[in-house]
Amino acid sequence: MRQRIIAGNWKMNKTIPEAIELAKGVVEATKGTAAEVVVCPTFVCLAAVNEVVKGTHVALGAQDVHWEKSGAFTGKVSSDMLLSAGVKYVIIGHSEQRTYFHETNETVNKKVKAALAAGLLPIICVGETLAEREAGRTNAVVEDHVVGAYAGLSVADAMKTVIAYEPVWAIGTGKVATPDQAQDVHAFIRGGLLQRLYGADVAAALRVQYGGSMKADNAKELLAKADIDGGLIGGASLKASDFAGIVNA
Ligand code: 13P
């Protein structure tokens, strides 16, 4: 049985006081859930949010990481720094990173390896654009992202990862993938790709989240699908009551 994992990607939102308040709300509103709950604030808010969530059922995540341990990389943050701030999960390869900040399969792979080596658990984002879907290239793009991200990763390391399938056309647009559309890709990731790369046991154990305009009122249907193990939530993670609506679904 795969434990559900619902993660809030706060993106570039919330000042430190606002992040503290939101984190307190999330802890309160999701008490008693059987799902794993993760909040991913900006780097600058991590330490403050950690003070709120540590010792609770809510885990802390970051939104990106650099692959080097330290050095002259202005603006970047390393895995060890994240660990020292109380971080457990780190989102890697988000489509906004790929689109705006030159993220490639190669940099995703380097980040995944560095994060794992330091003891962080990567949430690896994959997904196609609208043009790619309309060209019938959804599976090819997802395969390229998954194969690239996992290149050279052992079974033991792969077991520590989570995949987030986020169709780019559904992110922040209000256009959610239908449960069947999402399930098709999740089944391909698990039954096609992970099974081929790592075998049936790993494929059955790894969690694959859906992300893209997930909200309290569509979460139940999506999460009812056999291969959808949770959500990576953007907009609806910015209010504790909205986010808790998804967790409680
Ligand atoms: P939205 O939930 O705002 O569509 O964002 C999804 C996402 O990108 C989560 O990483």
Side-chain angles (χ1 to χ4, degrees):
M1 262 302 276
R2 298 182 293 269
Q3 187 191 16
R4 300 297 176 88
I5 176 166
I6 309 288
N9 174 8
W10 296 358
K11 305 192 180 182
M12 196 174 75
N13 293 289
K14 306 294 178 186
T15 61
I16 293 174
E18 290 166 352
I20 291 171
E21 192 184 319
L22 176 56
K24 284 182 180 164
V26 168
V27 170
E28 199 50 45
T30 61
K31 264 192 189 131
T33 178
E36 187 169 12
V37 180
V38 185
V39 290
C40 306
T42 58
F43 291 142
V44 78
C45 294
L46 284 170
V49 170
N50 185 47
E51 288 303 312
V52 177
V53 301
K54 75 176 175 205
T56 75
H57 64 288
V58 176
L60 188 62
Q63 298 176 18
D64 190 25
V65 65
H66 195 266
W67 55 86
E68 292 291 348
K69 287 183 92 61
S70 64
F73 300 98
T74 301
K76 299 299 172 229
V77 170
S78 75
S79 293
D80 288 340
M81 293 167 194
L82 296 181
L83 269 184
S84 73
V87 168
K88 180 174 179 186
Y89 287 97
V90 58
I91 297 169
I92 296 176
H94 192 281
S95 65
E96 287 148 18
Q97 274 293 126
R98 294 183 193 258
T99 303
Y100 306 130
F101 303 108
H102 311 292
E103 186 90 280
T104 63
N105 287 335
E106 288 68 39
T107 59
V108 169
N109 182 245
K110 290 208 268 192
K111 291 175 178 184
V112 168
K113 285 176 174 161
L116 286 165
L120 294 169
L121 306 178
I123 296 177
I124 300 166
C125 301
V126 305
E128 81 289 359
T129 63
L130 185 59
E132 289 164 342
R133 173 164 283 263
E134 286 176 344
R137 297 191 54 237
T138 297
N139 284 5
V141 170
V142 169
E143 175 163 2
D144 184 55
H145 288 170
V146 170
V147 170
Y150 284 86
L153 243 65
S154 67
V155 168
D157 274 346
M159 283 295 285
K160 296 179 190 141
T161 64
V162 174
I163 293 181
Y165 168 58
E166 298 206 309
V168 178
W169 49 271
I171 294 177
T173 58
K175 253 196 242 170
V176 65
T178 67
D180 286 337
Q181 280 176 324
Q183 167 60 24
D184 282 351
V185 180
H186 282 239
F188 172 65
I189 291 171
R190 190 186 311 286
L193 301 176
L194 293 174
Q195 172 128 1
R196 186 181 89 208
L197 292 173
Y198 292 106
D201 290 349
V202 175
L206 280 200
R207 295 177 293 179
V208 186
Q209 301 173 298
Y210 169 80
S213 299
M214 200 190 233
K215 306 206 161 23
D217 62 10
N218 59 32
K220 209 181 179 116
E221 266 192 302
L222 286 159
L223 294 168
K225 291 294 180 184
D227 291 300
I228 302 181
D229 306 313
L232 184 57
I233 322 299
S237 71
L238 298 176
K239 258 182 72 184
S241 55
D242 292 346
F243 185 62
I246 298 171
V247 173
N248 297 326

